């Protein structure tokens, strides 16, 4: 059963408007979650805000946003002041511009959502916008209030629907040059490249979702099931020591041994 939409509004392109609904394309509902308990009573521990100086609890009505401008000095902002600088409409995805699909690199992608028409009457308008983007190889760029913040979003056609990606803010993405600029730019030897290519070829297979299964999650569920049945917990396993690289590494020799371990003979050059 498809999950219920968590957002409903309108998709707008110039004078064309259609009602749409949206759901996150990913979920963490199956993730094992824990509460913090009082070991003595078994009761949950409640968290609360306290004044950092007096240590006294703060009433919800007295909580206010603060922007730090100096040590122990803040500018207070009320909720209505913050809302006043936001978008005029939080329920309309107004496509402001289009860019080539490959112009936005993966590092800007944040969270995907499925966007679908919410009314049979508006389905034609939705389909026209989707198919036109697919035919031109473009994606739409808009702004939307989501998760309590105004965000730039990208709309990409996919199958019979549209995937809406929230995009990361500019100050969230670090420049790669700061990390990669000092790396050696010389290309590796051809012989080394051939051996690594053989390893890649041996290990290349079709993508399957179970490649990203979480084994720790599965073991946690087994542990919880055992505790429910009153079994004693097993002794913790010793942590594996990380491999220690040798000071001197013969790359060619290591690659030859790796290829040999894959089960195919190595032809001599």
């Amino acid at each position: 059963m498809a999950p219920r939409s968590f957002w409903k509004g309108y998709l707008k392109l110039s004078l064309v408007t259609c009602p749409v609904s949206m759901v996150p394309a990913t979920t963490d509902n199956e993730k094992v979650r824990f509460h913090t308990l009082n070991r003595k009573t078994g009761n949950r521990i409640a968290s609360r805000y306290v004044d950092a100086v007096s240590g006294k609890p703060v009433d919800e009505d007295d909580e206010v946003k603060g922007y730090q401008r100096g040590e122990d000095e803040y500018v207070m902002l009320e909720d209505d002041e913050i809302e006043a600088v936001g978008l005029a409409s939080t329920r309309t995805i107004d496509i402001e511009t289009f860019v080539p699909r490959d112009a936005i690199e993966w590092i800007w992608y944040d969270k995907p959502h499925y966007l679908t028409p919410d009314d049979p009457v508006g389905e034609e308008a939705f389909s026209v916008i989707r198919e036109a983007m697919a035919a031109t190889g473009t994606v739409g760029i808009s702004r939307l209030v989501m998760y309590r913040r105004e965000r730039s979003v990208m709309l990409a056609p996919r199958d019979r629907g549209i995937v809406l990606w929230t995009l990361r803010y500019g100050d969230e993405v670090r420049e790669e040059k700061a990390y990669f600029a000092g790396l050696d730019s010389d290309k590796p030897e051809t012989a080394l490249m051939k051996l690594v290519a053989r390893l890649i070829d041996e290990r290349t297979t079709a993508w399957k979702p179970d490649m990203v299964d979480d084994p720790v999650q599965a073991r946690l569920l087994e542990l919880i099931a055992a505790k429910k049945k009153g079994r004693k917990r097993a002794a913790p396993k010793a942590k594996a020591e990380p491999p220690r690289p040798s000071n001197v590494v013969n790359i060619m020799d290591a690659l030859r041994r790796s290829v040999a371990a894959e089960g195919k003979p190595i032809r001599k050059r």
Side-chain angles (χ1 to χ4, degrees):
M1 181 182 295
R4 295 175 60 184
S5 63
F6 88 122
W7 184 94
K8 289 191 176 186
Y10 297 89
L11 177 62
K12 182 175 183 291
L13 174 59
S14 188
L15 300 179
V16 179
T17 304
C18 63
V20 291
S21 62
M22 179 166 49
V23 298
T26 59
T27 179
D28 59 359
N29 288 345
E30 301 303 317
K31 184 178 180 180
V32 175
R33 301 179 186 277
F34 297 101
H35 296 288
T36 303
L37 308 178
N38 182 334
R39 186 191 300 274
K40 294 180 179 179
T41 65
N43 299 328
R44 286 180 57 180
I45 296 175
S47 60
R48 61 196 307 190
Y49 287 106
V50 298
D51 189 292
V53 176
S54 68
K56 294 181 179 180
V58 179
D59 292 335
E60 187 174 349
D61 292 340
D62 292 328
E63 295 172 11
V64 65
K65 301 289 191 303
Y67 176 82
Q68 188 169 7
R69 64 179 182 182
E71 187 175 356
D72 296 328
E73 189 176 1
Y74 300 86
V75 177
M76 292 187 183
L77 296 172
E78 302 293 340
D79 288 343
D80 57 352
E81 292 177 308
I82 297 174
E83 292 174 2
V85 300
L87 288 175
S89 173
T90 60
R91 289 293 167 183
T92 301
I93 306 170
D94 190 353
I95 305 179
E96 302 163 353
T97 188
F98 295 88
V99 299
R101 175 65 188 263
D102 57 0
I104 304 177
E105 295 186 86
W106 63 269
I107 199 168
W108 293 95
Y109 292 16
D110 183 23
K111 187 175 177 60
H113 304 75
Y114 293 141
L115 194 69
T116 56
D118 194 43
D119 187 326
V121 177
E123 190 168 337
E124 183 179 13
F126 179 92
S127 300
V128 168
I129 296 173
R130 179 197 65 217
E131 292 303 314
M133 287 193 294
T136 56
T138 58
V139 292
I141 303 297
S142 183
R143 300 190 72 83
L144 188 63
V145 174
M146 295 180 68
Y147 308 109
R148 299 183 180 180
R149 293 190 69 181
E150 182 178 319
R151 299 171 182 272
S152 294
V153 297
M154 181 190 81
L155 293 91
R158 184 177 178 87
D159 195 24
R160 290 180 292 175
I162 291 175
V163 176
L164 181 146
W165 281 89
T166 55
L167 299 177
R168 300 186 190 279
Y169 297 99
D171 57 5
E172 292 180 333
V173 177
R174 291 173 172 165
E175 281 288 337
E176 61 190 50
K177 292 180 181 178
Y179 303 93
F180 299 157
L183 298 180
D184 187 2
S185 59
D186 293 338
K187 290 187 176 181
E189 296 179 17
T190 303
L192 296 176
M193 290 289 290
K194 287 182 178 179
L195 287 174
V196 174
R198 286 189 60 179
L199 283 174
I200 292 174
D201 182 62
E202 286 295 318
R203 299 181 179 211
T204 298
T205 184
W207 159 257
K208 294 180 293 184
D210 61 12
M211 291 180 178
V212 290
D213 282 350
D214 184 355
V216 174
Q217 175 101 344
R219 290 194 289 269
L220 276 174
L221 291 173
E222 291 175 1
L223 173 61
I224 292 169
K227 298 276 278 188
K228 283 182 178 179
K229 295 179 180 179
R231 298 177 191 166
K232 294 182 179 180
R233 64 178 182 179
K237 295 181 180 179
K239 291 185 178 180
E241 288 291 329
R244 297 180 180 179
S246 172
N247 291 332
V248 180
V249 178
N250 185 319
I251 301 297
M252 177 65 77
D253 187 46
L255 285 174
R256 285 180 176 276
R257 291 200 304 269
S258 297
V259 172
E262 298 293 323
K264 287 191 175 182
I266 303 173
R267 292 180 296 176
K268 294 183 178 180
R269 290 183 297 147

